[in-house]
Amino acid sequence: MRLFFLSLLILSNFLFSQNYSLEKYSSSINQNDLKKLLKVYSSDFFEGRFTGTIGEKRALNFLRDFYVSKNIKPAKGTNNYFQNFTLSPSSKRKGNTRLKLDPNGKIKSSNLIAIIEGSEKPEEYVVISAHLDHIGKIGDNIYNGADDNGSGTVAILEIAEAFIEAKINGDGPKRSVIFLHVSAEENGIRGSEFYTKNPLYKLSNTIVNLNIDMIGRIDPKRTNENMDYIYLIGSDRLSQELHEISESVNNKTTKLYLDYKYNDPLDPNRFYERSDHFHFAKNNIPVIFYFNGIHDDYHKPSDTVDKINFPLLKKRTRLIFNTAWELANRNDRVFPDKIK
């Protein structure tokens, strides 16, 4: 009996320690830091970050410098964090006159990839992704994309900072966490397609992709009165276990309203097929797509930082961090239970 109670005490202390650590690092994600990062990332200096332009190159350098400053390593196989690729120019985007082309007339671009290696299972990977590009500059109008997808980009930066703080304090993730900033999402989710066709880490060992695309605003068409929400898409498409983990983490921590309005396979918007997680899902990797819905400033120059709801952005970012923390530290990896 004494042995039973001793075991129970050890287990309870372990769980308390785990919960304390999660709360400690999750609470380091704050709206002031998110705002500082997003004010820079959605500024005119980046000229709307259109794929292959000088503005996008500035954005890539900004992201690289952030990871360098936090001593977070570049992913293996990158050129100083950059996974370079080319794609054909789009005839629809003639207004972007500052494209960087190679000798064959192809657009030159890059994904940016950083990693925090796991302490116990370094060859299993949790991938957190967001697209770094946007519409660019057309004529005199700069499409700064504060929500699309500046919000997702700075969320990853804050999540990465929380994870590296944990690692420095001896609480680093058991599995490796990959921070994947993909380009060319606005060109047909082609940066994520390039990564999944040229993975730097085995897709068979990639246990999940958490993809973030627009999490800084409120959907003006919401009929539900609870505005403390996030739309989740895809969490149960390949793995019911992932869906249940996601629900459990939220119930124990952030307590946002998880809205599955756009998760219906028959939804005419087809958001499941329209962001970067889709290429992971096509490779039978369980995914969650975090999304706030479409608003009146979508793909317009008016998508600016002053319209971001930073308290809600903070909560949503913490939810994603908490979910990634659980997936990276739980004993058993998530497996797909459905084949696509």
Side-chain angles (χ1 to χ4, degrees), residues 101-116:
L101 304 178
D102 70 6
N104 297 316
K106 300 281 190 178
I107 294 175
K108 297 191 294 183
S109 188
S110 307
N111 297 325
L112 185 140
I113 313 168
I115 186 170
I116 295 176

Side-chain angles (χ1 to χ4, degrees), residues 2-260:
R2 290 178 62 186
L3 181 60
F4 170 77
F5 283 114
L6 180 60
S7 299
L8 189 63
L9 179 63
I10 292 171
L11 176 62
S12 63
N13 285 338
F14 173 75
L15 293 175
F16 174 80
S17 175
Q18 288 291 95
N19 291 336
Y20 173 78
S21 296
L22 173 58
E23 174 60 27
K24 174 183 177 181
Y25 301 116
S26 180
S27 63
S28 72
I29 296 170
N30 66 80
Q31 63 192 57
N32 289 334
D33 288 345
L34 287 163
K35 183 179 289 187
K36 287 177 184 177
L37 288 166
L38 191 51
K39 279 186 174 180
V40 175
Y41 197 71
S42 63
S43 67
D44 287 353
F45 178 71
F46 298 100
E47 298 183 354
R49 308 184 303 275
F50 187 68
T51 303
T53 62
I54 186 64
E56 187 196 45
K57 182 62 177 177
R58 290 171 179 170
L60 284 161
N61 289 340
F62 172 81
L63 297 173
R64 177 202 61 203
D65 292 347
F66 178 89
Y67 286 107
V68 170
S69 72
K70 303 301 177 183
N71 292 314
I72 299 174
K73 294 179 181 179
K76 72 172 186 180
T78 61
N79 180 12
N80 193 23
Y81 298 91
F82 299 152
Q83 183 189 37
N84 301 320
F85 64 95
T86 62
L87 64 157
S88 299
S90 171
S91 60
K92 297 178 181 179
R93 301 314 308 271
K94 293 180 181 178
N96 281 289
T97 58
R98 303 183 73 184
L99 291 174
K100 299 181 68 174
L101 304 178
D102 70 6
N104 297 316
K106 300 281 190 178
I107 294 175
K108 297 191 294 183
S109 188
S110 307
N111 297 325
L112 185 140
I113 313 168
I115 186 170
I116 295 176
E117 295 175 346
S119 58
E120 296 182 15
K121 302 178 181 182
E123 294 185 354
E124 293 183 4
Y125 309 100
V126 174
V127 175
I128 308 175
S129 63
H131 73 88
L132 64 94
D133 61 308
H134 191 53
I135 300 298
K137 182 178 181 181
I138 303 176
D140 294 329
N141 293 315
I142 298 177
Y143 294 66
N144 287 314
D147 190 30
D148 185 15
N149 186 31
S151 61
T153 300
V154 300
I156 287 189
L157 299 182
E158 279 289 282
I159 290 168
E161 186 171 5
F163 268 115
I164 196 63
E165 181 183 345
K167 184 168 185 177
I168 291 169
N169 291 335
D171 296 323
K174 294 178 182 178
R175 294 178 177 84
S176 296
V177 182
I178 296 171
F179 308 99
L180 173 62
H181 299 266
V182 292
S183 182
E185 191 271 352
E186 304 289 1
N187 292 75
I189 56 176
R190 292 167 73 182
S192 52
E193 179 182 33
F194 182 83
Y195 177 83
T196 54
K197 287 183 176 179
N198 303 273
L200 304 183
Y201 302 93
K202 289 182 179 180
L203 294 184
S204 60
N205 287 348
T206 299
I207 68 168
V208 70
N209 170 228
L210 306 180
N211 183 51
I212 316 169
D213 193 351
M214 299 174 58
I215 61 166
R217 297 278 296 269
I218 290 176
D219 180 356
K221 296 180 181 179
R222 273 182 65 77
T223 55
N224 190 306
E225 293 182 357
N226 189 343
M227 294 301 170
D228 220 22
Y229 79 99
I230 184 72
Y231 293 124
L232 264 60
I233 302 172
S235 63
D236 63 349
R237 296 283 187 103
L238 293 173
S239 172
Q240 184 63 29
E241 183 183 20
L242 175 61
H243 176 78
E244 291 170 0
I245 290 169
S246 168
E247 285 274 340
S248 175
V249 168
N250 180 64
N251 289 337
K252 293 175 182 176
T253 59
T254 326
K255 294 179 170 43
L256 285 171
Y257 180 81
L258 303 184
D259 194 322
Y260 298 97

